Amino acid sequence: MSEVKPDIILKYFPDLSEKQLAQFSQLFDLYSFWNAQINVISRKDIEELYERHVLHSLGIAKVCSFKVGESVLDVGTGGGFPGIPLAILFPDTHFYLVDSIGKKIKVVKEVASALGLENLKADHLRAEQIKEKFNFIISRAVTRLGEFYPWIQGKFKKESINAIPNGILYLKGGDLAEEIKESKLKAELYPLSAYFEEEFFETKYVVYVPQ
């Protein structure tokens, strides 16, 4: 394996514990191994894992710091983004990762098991099948907001304990004005370029929709 290190994560999250740093450091080898068998990340992207997948996922943490005991649903997690990086960063928050493609959830479970992530569970499910309620629902560019919202409507806990009320935290890129207008949702945009200086983040956002 080539030595790809998570230095870019430390650049923006300097207060990681030794355990967290060790977990982030394992991600490259784990995803290189599993991606060779089940393609969850573009092959040419694997060398850029820490910037384009891990740090991108952690953009949500710049907008919302999850609290002890909160529960977070990651819809359409694919290979585990944004859920796995966030589960490493917030070990006292519960994460539930779901995807409609079984082989992707297999990768999530294998990676989470190798990392010893006890605050994460993953299932081969569609969002509509889930009966539980959550503080936040996260996702990374699964579909347009207007199509996404009906899948998760009614899946929020009533009580908020965070600085921002319960809601959706959605990673999306590009010009989102039309998509937000079409969805008829009240959304706030947080440009990731405000937190990360790399060119990749210039057109990337966290879209926050309160429940």
Side-chain angles (χ1 to χ4, degrees), residues 154-181:
K155 293 190 186 348
F156 294 101
K157 292 183 176 179
K158 286 194 167 54
E159 303 76 28
S160 291
I161 59 169
N162 209 299
I164 68 171
N166 296 349
I168 299 168
L169 293 159
Y170 202 68
L171 289 164
K172 259 295 188 148
D175 182 359
L176 298 171
E178 187 191 328
E179 183 173 333
I180 288 168
K181 187 179 171 188

Side-chain angles (χ1 to χ4, degrees), residues 129-143:
Q129 297 171 275
I130 295 165
K131 301 284 184 274
E132 297 161 58
K133 295 191 187 301
F134 302 86
N135 296 98
F136 291 96
I137 294 175
I138 60 175
S139 194
R140 187 166 77 146
V142 172
T143 185

